[in-house]
Amino acid sequence: MVPEPRPADHELATAWVDAHGRLSIDVHHPRPRTVLVRVAGEIDLSTARKLDEVLQSRVAPEIDEVIVDLGDITFFSVAGLNSLMRARLLADTAGARLTIDAEGSRAVRRLFALLPTESLSPAR
């Protein structure tokens, strides 16, 4: 039996799903020095803590860009907005770019429209 080839380190992914199935987070490295964090489900006070943890652990000196894909978010509270603001501060401090893709999520776009913040304007 021939073992399957391992993907390059920059392609490895990790995934997390909360115990109640309300939030899932997948982390990919589509290219070197870039992290893609795909988030699906609900971001509220209880699930935003995990989003904080994941984003904070991915902002590092060896990373140039962190892309947060919120396209599959069905509920997005101010706690989620706070998580993104903290991640933006960390990225700025580390010299990385934080890109937010909220195109597919009405919930995220609605909150951004209600509470505009230039530093978190979605990229697409």
Side-chain angles (χ1 to χ4, degrees):
M1 179 176 217
V2 177
E4 291 185 30
R6 288 177 39 122
D9 286 340
H10 67 287
E11 295 173 352
L12 293 176
T14 57
W16 178 85
V17 178
D18 81 325
H20 304 289
R22 296 180 318 163
L23 178 71
S24 67
I25 302 174
D26 296 309
V27 179
H28 303 272
H29 297 270
R31 56 191 173 270
R33 302 183 64 83
T34 300
V35 175
L36 170 61
V37 180
R38 285 195 177 117
V39 189
E42 301 176 3
I43 299 179
D44 58 20
L45 188 57
S46 63
T47 58
R49 292 180 188 129
K50 185 61 180 183
L51 180 60
D52 274 341
E53 180 184 311
V54 170
L55 291 175
Q56 290 175 19
S57 69
R58 296 316 189 262
V59 175
E62 65 274 4
I63 299 299
D64 291 332
E65 182 176 24
V66 177
I67 303 165
V68 183
D69 180 351
L70 302 173
D72 291 323
I73 292 297
T74 56
F75 178 81
F76 190 72
S77 75
V78 173
L81 185 64
N82 287 334
S83 293
L84 295 177
M85 291 175 74
R86 283 189 287 276
R88 168 72 73 200
L89 289 172
L90 284 172
D92 288 349
T93 301
R97 180 175 54 245
L98 180 74
T99 304
I100 299 167
D101 182 356
E103 183 64 30
S105 174
R106 182 174 175 229
V108 176
R109 289 191 324 266
R110 183 176 46 207
L111 185 60
F112 275 36
L114 291 172
L115 303 171
T117 172
E118 290 179 21
S119 67
L120 287 178
S121 297
R124 299 169 233 167

